[in-house]
Amino acid sequence: MGSILVDGSKCNLCGKCVDQCPFGAIQIDLGKVIIDNGCRLCKLCIKNCPEGAISLLKTQKTVDKNEWNGVLVYVEHLEGEIHPVTLELIGKARQLAGEINHPVYALIMGTDVIDLGKGLLEYGVDRVLAYQDEALRHFRADLYTNIFEDCIKEFKPSIVLVGATSVGRSLAPRVAARFRTGLTADCTQLEVRPNTDLVQIRPAFGGNIMAQIVTVRTRPQFATVRYKVMEKADRLRKPGGEIIRCQVKPERLQSGLKVIRTALREKQENISDAEVLVVAGRGVKNPADLGMINELAELLNGQLACTRPLVEAGWLPYTKQIGLSGRTVKPKLIITCGVSGAIQFTACMSAAEQIFAINKDRNAPIFKVAHYGIVGDIYQIIPALIAKLKKEVRSV
Ligand SMILES: Cc1cc2nc3c(=O)[nH]c(=O)nc-3n(C[C@H](O)[C@H](O)[C@H](O)COP(=O)(O)OP(=O)(O)OC[C@H]3O[C@@H](n4cnc5c(N)ncnc54)[C@H](O)[C@@H]3O)c2cc1C
């Protein structure tokens, strides 16, 4: 770790470093050698500078991991309701904290958050850290980042978990940057080593490998996790823990953002909340045929979802897409219709309780994750299923 330093008093702007940099990260501009973010610290410029004007500034600090203690969960809430991803993160935090004997913290900020925060003690949080102030009524990224930073400085958690929601995705990188530490987005699994290093596991390179990412030199370690990926925390019979009302420093409440008006969006159907999903894949030959998939979904009191090619074709909105670049789902039942089962799709649905696949190709990868399958044509099987379900509904 470090950065490249150019001594202007020795440099004669010969340009050798510019020519030899394999990453094209060096330029001469306004009579100065500039090293940009493309630099990979290969040190070729240092070796080849005839004037000895370039050197490595070592900035590596070794963190004392013992000074960082606890797993902190950011509590997302709106209109007095806690986002369910928070309870899933608390479930994971309890497991991780148990393995390294750390406490579980929950950070909640806003107005009227004391009672809301108290409710989290039932889920096994050791300390709810509540920051209450009128200025925190609405989410404003700059203010919330300040308070988050203050909280981390005071309680020094080793691990910080944030939901990969719109708010979480806006907040977590800002706070991580304040500590110059690592952040892994959209983790699908989290493990912890005895030395408190968090192993952050997530699909990489288009989902073809599962990468294990570890932040070894800095603390805290930040991870975001999507809704419906982790198991929700169980309620404790005899909850303990405490709520701490933390001090909000007035000088930290200066914001460059002014909230003029807020309006609640009409609640939309969300495939992540559905208990039953019927998924259309590219085996569906034209948009009109989505009608039969939708009919099957309605008969099962479920929702229609799809693979990415159907969204790309403009047949269905993005909100219906399951997969790495769409949503993660964990329904009780999922029926896939003409879906091949690419990893980018299955990575975000394989935790469903029952997976039922229909595909005319017996070697389709979807059958590897399915609990039940039919090798056959959806244009024969789905109408037959619909007819059978209708008959059963009539006879009830
Ligand atoms: C970075 C990246 C991110 C991606 N993100 C996503 C994502 O979020 N979600 C996603 O879905 N994909 C995603 N993809 C694309 C993914 O790799 C696949 O291309 C996609 O999932 C394939 O969709 P499909 O199964 O509908 O189509 P296909 O792979 O074309 O499969 C169609 C299947 O239908 C079967 N079939 C055809 N006709 C019939 C019939 N009449 N009856 C029965 N079966 C039939 C075929 O045998 C075939 O198995 C991503 C790719 C990349 C590189």
Side-chain angles (χ1 to χ4, degrees):
M1 293 282 279
S3 56
I4 299 289
L5 204 66
V6 182
D7 182 345
S9 64
K10 289 186 188 165
C11 176
N12 62 8
L13 303 176
C14 70
K16 277 206 173 123
C17 53
V18 178
D19 297 339
Q20 285 174 356
C21 176
F23 303 103
I26 309 181
Q27 298 157 39
I28 295 180
D29 194 18
L30 299 173
K32 263 185 175 176
V33 172
I34 312 277
I35 306 202
D36 68 26
N37 291 339
C39 174
R40 293 288 173 272
L41 297 179
C42 70
K43 302 183 209 149
L44 270 180
C45 54
I46 300 176
K47 280 188 203 138
N48 292 309
C49 175
E51 308 303 325
I54 309 181
S55 58
L56 180 72
L57 179 70
K58 285 199 177 159
T59 52
Q60 181 177 335
K61 278 193 237 155
T62 40
V63 70
D64 180 356
K65 293 178 184 172
N66 294 324
E67 282 181 10
W68 296 83
N69 190 36
V71 182
L72 177 93
V73 172
Y74 173 71
V75 181
E76 187 168 334
H77 60 97
L78 185 68
E79 301 277 312
E81 262 183 53
I82 290 181
H83 192 296
V85 73
T86 306
L87 300 183
E88 296 174 357
L89 295 179
I90 291 173
K92 192 59 182 177
R94 270 171 58 188
Q95 184 219 319
L96 297 171
E99 286 177 36
I100 49 176
N101 205 13
H102 278 204
V104 174
Y105 299 125
L107 160 63
I108 187 163
M109 53 180 119
T111 48
D112 308 321
V113 290
I114 303 295
D115 283 342
L116 203 57
K118 268 186 198 154
L120 293 171
L121 297 175
E122 289 176 27
Y123 291 92
V125 174
D126 297 300
R127 261 169 250 161
V128 176
L129 315 171
Y131 291 78
Q132 185 162 289
D133 194 284
E134 183 51 37
L136 299 170
R137 178 171 290 280
H138 302 295
F139 172 68
R140 282 187 281 175
D142 51 0
L143 288 192
Y144 272 51
T145 303
N146 288 345
I147 304 298
F148 210 145
E149 183 187 3
D150 288 352
C151 175
I152 290 176
K153 281 187 174 153
E154 187 169 350
F155 294 93
K156 302 194 91 179
S158 177
I159 296 169
V160 180
L161 305 181
V162 181
T165 59
S166 311
V167 166
R169 284 182 174 155
S170 161
L171 195 53
R174 287 182 159 89
V175 186
R178 297 258 173 115
F179 290 89
R180 304 228 172 273
T181 188
L183 160 76
T184 304
D186 287 354
C187 295
T188 52
Q189 290 173 56
L190 293 169
E191 292 167 8
V192 70
R193 294 181 178 157
N195 71 351
T196 73
D197 283 351
L198 182 68
V199 184
Q200 300 153 94
I201 303 168
R202 57 151 298 152
F205 296 108
N208 292 313
I209 61 157
M210 292 303 280
Q212 300 205 347
I213 299 159
V214 186
T215 307
V216 287
R217 293 197 193 93
T218 53
R219 288 291 185 268
Q221 312 162 84
F222 275 81
T224 66
V225 179
R226 288 190 194 186
Y227 175 37
K228 290 272 174 177
V229 170
M230 305 290 175
E231 291 294 326
K232 185 180 154 189
D234 295 327
R235 270 207 164 95
L236 299 186
R237 280 217 193 108
K238 286 188 190 159
E242 57 177 332
I243 182 151
I244 301 177
R245 203 176 169 140
C246 303
Q247 198 210 344
V248 179
K249 296 177 192 147
E251 67 274 20
R252 302 292 274 160
L253 296 175
Q254 308 303 318
S255 175
L257 299 164
K258 188 172 163 195
V259 179
I260 298 166
R261 191 173 69 88
T262 60
L264 277 183
R265 209 172 38 184
E266 224 174 86
K267 223 174 178 174
Q268 288 175 330
E269 248 188 3
N270 183 350
I271 57 169
S272 297
D273 292 327
E275 295 204 334
V276 177
L277 286 171
V278 184
V279 187
R282 207 149 42 178
V284 175
K285 296 296 172 241
N286 65 68
D289 300 341
L290 289 172
M292 70 174 179
I293 313 279
N294 197 34
E295 188 176 1
L296 179 60
E298 282 178 358
L299 280 167
L300 294 167
N301 287 327
Q303 288 186 38
L304 170 69
C306 66
T307 57
R308 180 159 116 172
L310 275 68
V311 174
E312 285 170 343
W315 293 6
L316 284 168
Y318 169 69
T319 49
K320 292 285 180 191
Q321 181 187 323
I322 296 173
L324 287 186
S325 49
R327 307 229 161 144
T328 301
V329 296
K330 202 163 43 167
K332 288 196 170 137
L333 170 67
I334 186 164
I335 303 178
T336 64
C337 312
V339 174
S340 60
I343 181 75
Q344 295 87 359
F345 172 80
T346 55
C348 297
M349 53 68 78
S350 55
E353 278 177 38
Q354 296 294 335
I355 302 172
F356 185 95
I358 311 168
N359 194 306
K360 65 180 184 186
D361 174 7
R362 66 173 58 249
N363 296 316
I366 192 71
F367 290 123
K368 292 202 179 115
V369 295
H371 302 102
Y372 302 96
I374 298 181
V375 178
D377 188 336
I378 52 169
Y379 286 91
Q380 290 171 2
I381 294 159
I382 294 174
L385 268 176
I386 291 173
K388 179 130 177 66
L389 281 166
K390 280 185 174 164
K391 207 168 141 197
E392 287 193 3
V393 171
R394 273 199 299 270
S395 62
V396 173

